[in-house]
Amino acid sequence: MSRLHLHAWAELLRLPALFTVPGDGLAGAAAVAARPDRRTALAVGCSLCLYEAGMALNDWADRAEDAVERPHRPLPSGRVRPAAALAAACALTAAGLALAARAGRPALAVAVPLAATVWSYDLVLKRTPAGPGAMAAARGLDLLLGAAATAGTVRPALPSAALLSTHTLAVTAVSRQETRDGTPLAPLAALAATATLTRLLPGDLGRERRAVLAAARREPSGVSPAPSPTPPPGQSRPSGFLTTALALSYAAATARPYLNAALNPSPPLTQRAVGAGIRATIPLQAALAARAGAGATALGTAALTALARRFSKRVSVT
């Protein structure tokens, strides 16, 4: 395979966006007060496969539209065959579900609806009013996948999943006008969502998480029991300073691009806003982990920001 062919596949799969994926599962594990383990790694592997399956399927479904609006993309330009993109989407989906099965039945129970959401979004929902909601649901499910794989329960991770889904909903709404002149409404709404999330992130989840975990332990289920509310080694009570710092980093990553897109909702500025919103997923995930008391996980996740920014200079994330 030639270097040009490899670069075409890197464009198709939006490889720099991959750095926004591991933090989902890690934040999910942190939300259930569990240390990441082999099952967490399998869940992250599943997430990576399903994310890339969605990227390939997205361009396959959009190939006719891209031939008019974005003829330079890998499929309309002929650098990647449509059949190859569809085959890659199928293979990556199968690989993702296989990894989830290895992580256990609770993980597979989340991965199946996650895969269904990805395919439904790309093939049916993307051009409907339900599109942003479907994309938001996929991100939320991805975080819950990490929780289910690591601890066999998802209830304690629901608040974190809701915050991550809100961010994704805002970014996806902006992305719907990145190929044409739009209105300031979507970027202004995304700016407001960012401000709200930044305000909510430093909240102490300790009492809420202990209550949910205690309730989960009292409920009979066919999965492994919920972990003890006492944080395991490597976790502590939420660090207010770290969470606040990461929340402000998240806000700083998106505020200016969203504002610029609102003042001038042209395709170039809107695309920059979407790219910034996608990359800002990483500090948001890190803040969610810190909020749950997993400082080491938060710092490790935050370190992916530099890699995403570096590789985005070579391949677009939108």
Side-chain angles (χ1 to χ4, degrees):
M1 186 177 290
S2 69
R3 187 172 181 177
L4 290 177
H5 198 197
L6 287 172
H7 191 271
W9 276 96
E11 286 185 49
L12 177 73
L13 299 175
R14 323 292 205 280
L15 287 185
L18 271 183
F19 295 106
T20 71
V21 177
D24 289 349
L26 294 174
V32 293
R35 174 181 288 178
D37 57 14
R38 182 186 67 87
R39 291 172 300 177
T40 312
L42 289 169
V44 170
C46 170
S47 299
L48 292 169
C49 288
L50 294 182
Y51 190 88
E52 291 293 48
M55 291 297 181
L57 187 63
N58 176 79
D59 277 25
W60 181 84
D62 286 353
R63 61 194 186 280
E65 178 183 329
D66 284 347
V68 176
E69 296 183 349
R70 289 171 284 199
H72 60 280
R73 294 290 301 147
L75 266 61
S77 66
R79 290 176 293 151
V80 175
R81 293 183 297 108
L86 180 59
C90 294
L92 286 165
T93 301
L97 293 176
L99 289 171
R102 290 285 303 276
R105 292 175 63 184
L108 185 61
V110 177
V112 169
L114 172 57
T117 302
V118 169
W119 279 72
S120 297
Y121 173 82
D122 283 330
L123 298 181
V124 179
L125 300 176
K126 180 167 48 181
R127 295 177 180 83
T128 73
M135 181 63 78
R139 271 291 184 180
L141 285 169
D142 202 33
L143 187 148
L144 296 179
L145 175 61
T150 308
T153 182
V154 300
R155 287 191 65 197
L158 291 175
S160 293
L163 294 176
L164 181 62
S165 294
T166 300
H167 166 74
T168 306
L169 179 67
V171 177
T172 308
V174 175
S175 73
R176 290 165 75 89
Q177 57 185 43
E178 64 178 338
T179 60
R180 63 184 188 280
D181 288 335
T183 68
L185 182 59
L188 283 176
L191 191 61
T194 299
T196 302
L197 291 174
T198 303
R199 176 66 182 85
L200 292 174
L201 281 169
D204 189 339
L205 281 183
R207 179 181 301 177
E208 177 183 346
R209 184 176 62 181
R210 286 192 294 272
V212 175
L213 285 171
R217 287 172 61 83
R218 289 194 297 269
E219 293 181 359
S221 65
V223 300
S224 59
S228 167
T230 302
Q235 287 192 322
S236 60
R237 288 187 181 275
S239 167
F241 176 79
L242 179 58
T243 306
T244 300
L246 290 169
L248 292 175
S249 175
Y250 159 67
T254 55
R256 185 173 180 178
Y258 284 159
L259 182 58
N260 288 339
L263 294 174
N264 181 10
S266 61
L269 290 180
T270 300
Q271 289 165 16
R272 291 179 189 175
V274 173
I278 293 172
R279 290 189 295 273
T281 304
I282 300 174
L284 174 58
Q285 295 161 338
L288 290 172
R291 184 175 188 249
T297 297
L299 292 174
T301 301
L304 297 174
T305 304
L307 293 173
R309 185 181 299 111
R310 176 182 177 184
F311 284 93
S312 294
K313 297 177 181 178
R314 301 181 183 181
V315 178
S316 173
V317 298
T318 66

mmCIF file of all heavy atoms in Angstrom, residues 33 36 47 57 73 93 96 100 105 125 136 153 155 159 176 185 188 210 213 224 243-244 247 254 259 262-263 302 305:
data_model
loop_
_atom_site.group_PDB
_atom_site.id
_atom_site.type_symbol
_atom_site.label_atom_id
_atom_site.label_comp_id
_atom_site.label_asym_id
_atom_site.label_seq_id
_atom_site.Cartn_x
_atom_site.Cartn_y
_atom_site.Cartn_z
ATOM 1 N N ALA A 33 -16.004 4.346 40.338
ATOM 2 C CA ALA A 33 -14.999 4.223 41.399
ATOM 3 C C ALA A 33 -14.161 2.958 41.250
ATOM 4 O O ALA A 33 -13.846 2.286 42.225
ATOM 5 C CB ALA A 33 -15.669 4.258 42.775
ATOM 6 N N PRO A 36 -9.032 1.294 36.213
ATOM 7 C CA PRO A 36 -9.030 0.682 34.881
ATOM 8 C C PRO A 36 -8.245 -0.630 34.877
ATOM 9 O O PRO A 36 -7.186 -0.733 35.488
ATOM 10 C CB PRO A 36 -8.352 1.739 34.001
ATOM 11 C CG PRO A 36 -8.565 3.021 34.729
ATOM 12 C CD PRO A 36 -8.521 2.678 36.195
ATOM 13 N N SER A 47 -14.489 0.637 21.602
ATOM 14 C CA SER A 47 -14.854 2.012 21.269
ATOM 15 C C SER A 47 -14.097 2.505 20.046
ATOM 16 O O SER A 47 -14.674 3.142 19.153
ATOM 17 C CB SER A 47 -14.573 2.938 22.458
ATOM 18 O OG SER A 47 -15.326 2.568 23.584
ATOM 19 N N LEU A 57 -18.277 4.405 7.527
ATOM 20 C CA LEU A 57 -19.665 4.314 7.082
ATOM 21 C C LEU A 57 -20.223 5.689 6.748
ATOM 22 O O LEU A 57 -21.025 5.851 5.810
ATOM 23 C CB LEU A 57 -20.507 3.656 8.172
ATOM 24 C CG LEU A 57 -21.951 3.335 7.813
ATOM 25 C CD1 LEU A 57 -22.014 2.318 6.681
ATOM 26 C CD2 LEU A 57 -22.701 2.814 9.036
ATOM 27 N N ARG A 73 -12.585 14.606 -0.938
ATOM 28 C CA ARG A 73 -12.622 13.543 0.055
ATOM 29 C C ARG A 73 -12.191 12.214 -0.584
ATOM 30 O O ARG A 73 -12.253 12.046 -1.810
ATOM 31 C CB ARG A 73 -14.028 13.411 0.644
ATOM 32 C CG ARG A 73 -14.496 14.601 1.460
ATOM 33 C CD ARG A 73 -13.725 14.704 2.765
ATOM 34 N NE ARG A 73 -13.884 13.501 3.561
ATOM 35 C CZ ARG A 73 -12.936 13.004 4.355
ATOM 36 N NH1 ARG A 73 -11.786 13.610 4.463
ATOM 37 N NH2 ARG A 73 -13.158 11.906 5.028
ATOM 38 N N THR A 93 -16.891 -2.981 12.909
ATOM 39 C CA THR A 93 -18.024 -3.209 13.812
ATOM 40 C C THR A 93 -17.955 -4.597 14.421
ATOM 41 O O THR A 93 -18.154 -4.773 15.634
ATOM 42 C CB THR A 93 -19.351 -3.030 13.059
ATOM 43 O OG1 THR A 93 -19.423 -1.706 12.527
ATOM 44 C CG2 THR A 93 -20.538 -3.271 13.978
ATOM 45 N N GLY A 96 -15.214 -4.695 16.992
ATOM 46 C CA GLY A 96 -15.601 -3.998 18.210
ATOM 47 C C GLY A 96 -16.512 -4.836 19.087
ATOM 48 O O GLY A 96 -16.326 -4.925 20.310
ATOM 49 N N ALA A 100 -15.933 -6.369 22.887
ATOM 50 C CA ALA A 100 -16.893 -6.159 23.973
ATOM 51 C C ALA A 100 -17.302 -7.492 24.595
ATOM 52 O O ALA A 100 -17.445 -7.602 25.821
ATOM 53 C CB ALA A 100 -18.122 -5.422 23.446
ATOM 54 N N ARG A 105 -20.428 -9.853 29.559
ATOM 55 C CA ARG A 105 -21.800 -9.637 29.104
ATOM 56 C C ARG A 105 -22.301 -8.219 29.361
ATOM 57 O O ARG A 105 -23.007 -7.645 28.517
ATOM 58 C CB ARG A 105 -22.716 -10.662 29.770
ATOM 59 C CG ARG A 105 -22.467 -12.089 29.288
ATOM 60 C CD ARG A 105 -23.298 -13.094 30.052
ATOM 61 N NE ARG A 105 -24.723 -12.874 29.855
ATOM 62 C CZ ARG A 105 -25.671 -13.563 30.475
ATOM 63 N NH1 ARG A 105 -25.325 -14.506 31.357
ATOM 64 N NH2 ARG A 105 -26.943 -13.318 30.239
ATOM 65 N N LEU A 125 -30.409 8.598 10.373
ATOM 66 C CA LEU A 125 -30.771 9.705 11.252
ATOM 67 C C LEU A 125 -30.000 10.993 11.017
ATOM 68 O O LEU A 125 -30.437 12.060 11.441
ATOM 69 C CB LEU A 125 -30.594 9.278 12.718
ATOM 70 C CG LEU A 125 -31.433 8.088 13.163
ATOM 71 C CD1 LEU A 125 -31.091 7.707 14.594
ATOM 72 C CD2 LEU A 125 -32.921 8.398 13.034
ATOM 73 N N ALA A 136 -25.171 12.248 20.173
ATOM 74 C CA ALA A 136 -24.988 12.455 21.610
ATOM 75 C C ALA A 136 -25.197 11.146 22.368
ATOM 76 O O ALA A 136 -24.454 10.825 23.310
ATOM 77 C CB ALA A 136 -25.956 13.521 22.111
ATOM 78 N N THR A 153 -21.754 -2.393 36.083
ATOM 79 C CA THR A 153 -22.887 -1.518 36.375
ATOM 80 C C THR A 153 -22.681 -0.189 35.664
ATOM 81 O O THR A 153 -21.551 0.213 35.427
ATOM 82 C CB THR A 153 -23.036 -1.283 37.896
ATOM 83 O OG1 THR A 153 -24.177 -0.471 38.145
ATOM 84 C CG2 THR A 153 -21.815 -0.598 38.478
ATOM 85 N N ARG A 155 -25.163 2.605 36.364
ATOM 86 C CA ARG A 155 -25.942 3.657 37.030
ATOM 87 C C ARG A 155 -25.075 4.791 37.583
ATOM 88 O O ARG A 155 -25.415 5.965 37.404
ATOM 89 C CB ARG A 155 -26.794 3.050 38.139
ATOM 90 C CG ARG A 155 -27.991 2.252 37.615
ATOM 91 C CD ARG A 155 -28.929 1.909 38.749
ATOM 92 N NE ARG A 155 -29.524 3.104 39.321
ATOM 93 C CZ ARG A 155 -30.112 3.125 40.511
ATOM 94 N NH1 ARG A 155 -30.156 2.046 41.261
ATOM 95 N NH2 ARG A 155 -30.651 4.242 40.959
ATOM 96 N N PRO A 159 -24.636 10.319 35.340
ATOM 97 C CA PRO A 159 -24.418 11.780 35.308
ATOM 98 C C PRO A 159 -23.278 12.196 34.391
ATOM 99 O O PRO A 159 -23.395 13.175 33.645
ATOM 100 C CB PRO A 159 -24.118 12.110 36.776
ATOM 101 C CG PRO A 159 -24.765 11.020 37.559
ATOM 102 C CD PRO A 159 -24.598 9.798 36.722
ATOM 103 N N ARG A 176 -23.700 20.541 11.450
ATOM 104 C CA ARG A 176 -24.704 20.393 10.396
ATOM 105 C C ARG A 176 -24.692 21.538 9.399
ATOM 106 O O ARG A 176 -25.328 21.469 8.356
ATOM 107 C CB ARG A 176 -26.097 20.244 11.020
ATOM 108 C CG ARG A 176 -26.271 18.907 11.729
ATOM 109 C CD ARG A 176 -27.475 18.920 12.642
ATOM 110 N NE ARG A 176 -28.730 18.826 11.922
ATOM 111 C CZ ARG A 176 -29.335 17.678 11.605
ATOM 112 N NH1 ARG A 176 -28.771 16.531 11.942
ATOM 113 N NH2 ARG A 176 -30.475 17.668 10.969
ATOM 114 N N LEU A 185 -27.153 30.722 15.430
ATOM 115 C CA LEU A 185 -27.875 30.058 16.509
ATOM 116 C C LEU A 185 -27.127 28.845 17.054
ATOM 117 O O LEU A 185 -26.962 28.704 18.274
ATOM 118 C CB LEU A 185 -29.262 29.645 16.020
ATOM 119 C CG LEU A 185 -30.155 28.974 17.073
ATOM 120 C CD1 LEU A 185 -30.374 29.911 18.259
ATOM 121 C CD2 LEU A 185 -31.490 28.556 16.455
ATOM 122 N N LEU A 188 -23.873 29.723 18.954
ATOM 123 C CA LEU A 188 -24.225 30.408 20.202
ATOM 124 C C LEU A 188 -24.771 29.409 21.223
ATOM 125 O O LEU A 188 -24.465 29.495 22.417
ATOM 126 C CB LEU A 188 -25.257 31.502 19.934
ATOM 127 C CG LEU A 188 -24.728 32.796 19.312
ATOM 128 C CD1 LEU A 188 -25.885 33.749 19.007
ATOM 129 C CD2 LEU A 188 -23.707 33.470 20.219
ATOM 130 N N ARG A 210 -21.891 7.821 45.966
ATOM 131 C CA ARG A 210 -22.048 6.835 47.032
ATOM 132 C C ARG A 210 -23.502 6.390 47.158
ATOM 133 O O ARG A 210 -23.794 5.219 47.386
ATOM 134 C CB ARG A 210 -21.550 7.420 48.360
ATOM 135 C CG ARG A 210 -20.038 7.519 48.446
ATOM 136 C CD ARG A 210 -19.593 7.813 49.866
ATOM 137 N NE ARG A 210 -20.030 9.135 50.323
ATOM 138 C CZ ARG A 210 -19.331 10.243 50.137
ATOM 139 N NH1 ARG A 210 -18.184 10.201 49.481
ATOM 140 N NH2 ARG A 210 -19.772 11.399 50.603
ATOM 141 N N LEU A 213 -24.252 4.070 44.113
ATOM 142 C CA LEU A 213 -23.590 2.790 44.276
ATOM 143 C C LEU A 213 -24.280 1.947 45.340
ATOM 144 O O LEU A 213 -24.454 0.743 45.180
ATOM 145 C CB LEU A 213 -22.118 3.013 44.642
ATOM 146 C CG LEU A 213 -21.196 3.452 43.507
ATOM 147 C CD1 LEU A 213 -19.834 3.835 44.060
ATOM 148 C CD2 LEU A 213 -21.054 2.361 42.470
ATOM 149 N N SER A 224 -21.944 -8.743 37.638
ATOM 150 C CA SER A 224 -21.080 -8.677 38.798
ATOM 151 C C SER A 224 -21.511 -7.543 39.695
ATOM 152 O O SER A 224 -22.032 -6.523 39.234
ATOM 153 C CB SER A 224 -19.626 -8.469 38.354
ATOM 154 O OG SER A 224 -19.520 -7.293 37.614
ATOM 155 N N THR A 243 -10.096 19.483 38.875
ATOM 156 C CA THR A 243 -11.333 19.498 38.093
ATOM 157 C C THR A 243 -11.601 20.880 37.519
ATOM 158 O O THR A 243 -11.967 21.029 36.350
ATOM 159 C CB THR A 243 -12.518 19.056 38.960
ATOM 160 O OG1 THR A 243 -12.231 17.797 39.564
ATOM 161 C CG2 THR A 243 -13.777 18.921 38.120
ATOM 162 N N THR A 244 -11.417 21.908 38.349
ATOM 163 C CA THR A 244 -11.647 23.274 37.877
ATOM 164 C C THR A 244 -10.672 23.644 36.768
ATOM 165 O O THR A 244 -11.057 24.255 35.767
ATOM 166 C CB THR A 244 -11.511 24.260 39.050
ATOM 167 O OG1 THR A 244 -12.486 23.942 40.055
ATOM 168 C CG2 THR A 244 -11.723 25.693 38.576
ATOM 169 N N ALA A 247 -11.743 21.887 33.649
ATOM 170 C CA ALA A 247 -12.976 22.484 33.147
ATOM 171 C C ALA A 247 -12.684 23.792 32.423
ATOM 172 O O ALA A 247 -13.251 24.077 31.352
ATOM 173 C CB ALA A 247 -13.954 22.721 34.296
ATOM 174 N N THR A 254 -12.883 25.827 23.337
ATOM 175 C CA THR A 254 -14.040 25.992 22.454
ATOM 176 C C THR A 254 -14.587 27.413 22.376
ATOM 177 O O THR A 254 -15.240 27.756 21.390
ATOM 178 C CB THR A 254 -15.187 25.074 22.928
ATOM 179 O OG1 THR A 254 -15.474 25.357 24.306
ATOM 180 C CG2 THR A 254 -14.813 23.609 22.777
ATOM 181 N N LEU A 259 -17.393 31.422 19.236
ATOM 182 C CA LEU A 259 -17.738 32.840 19.112
ATOM 183 C C LEU A 259 -17.471 33.334 17.695
ATOM 184 O O LEU A 259 -18.289 34.053 17.106
ATOM 185 C CB LEU A 259 -16.944 33.659 20.123
ATOM 186 C CG LEU A 259 -17.239 35.172 20.148
ATOM 187 C CD1 LEU A 259 -18.713 35.425 20.437
ATOM 188 C CD2 LEU A 259 -16.358 35.867 21.173
ATOM 189 N N ALA A 262 -20.112 32.124 15.442
ATOM 190 C CA ALA A 262 -21.371 32.834 15.653
ATOM 191 C C ALA A 262 -21.350 34.197 14.975
ATOM 192 O O ALA A 262 -22.346 34.635 14.384
ATOM 193 C CB ALA A 262 -21.639 32.992 17.150
ATOM 194 N N LEU A 263 -20.215 34.878 15.042
ATOM 195 C CA LEU A 263 -20.095 36.194 14.426
ATOM 196 C C LEU A 263 -20.043 36.107 12.905
ATOM 197 O O LEU A 263 -20.516 37.012 12.203
ATOM 198 C CB LEU A 263 -18.840 36.897 14.950
ATOM 199 C CG LEU A 263 -18.845 37.254 16.439
ATOM 200 C CD1 LEU A 263 -17.489 37.801 16.862
ATOM 201 C CD2 LEU A 263 -19.957 38.257 16.747
ATOM 202 N N ALA A 302 -5.872 13.859 29.807
ATOM 203 C CA ALA A 302 -5.569 15.221 29.350
ATOM 204 C C ALA A 302 -4.332 15.249 28.454
ATOM 205 O O ALA A 302 -4.233 16.102 27.560
ATOM 206 C CB ALA A 302 -5.373 16.135 30.552
ATOM 207 N N THR A 305 -4.533 15.474 24.611
ATOM 208 C CA THR A 305 -4.884 16.708 23.913
ATOM 209 C C THR A 305 -3.780 17.156 22.976
ATOM 210 O O THR A 305 -4.035 17.553 21.823
ATOM 211 C CB THR A 305 -5.182 17.827 24.926
ATOM 212 O OG1 THR A 305 -6.217 17.404 25.817
ATOM 213 C CG2 THR A 305 -5.610 19.106 24.224
#
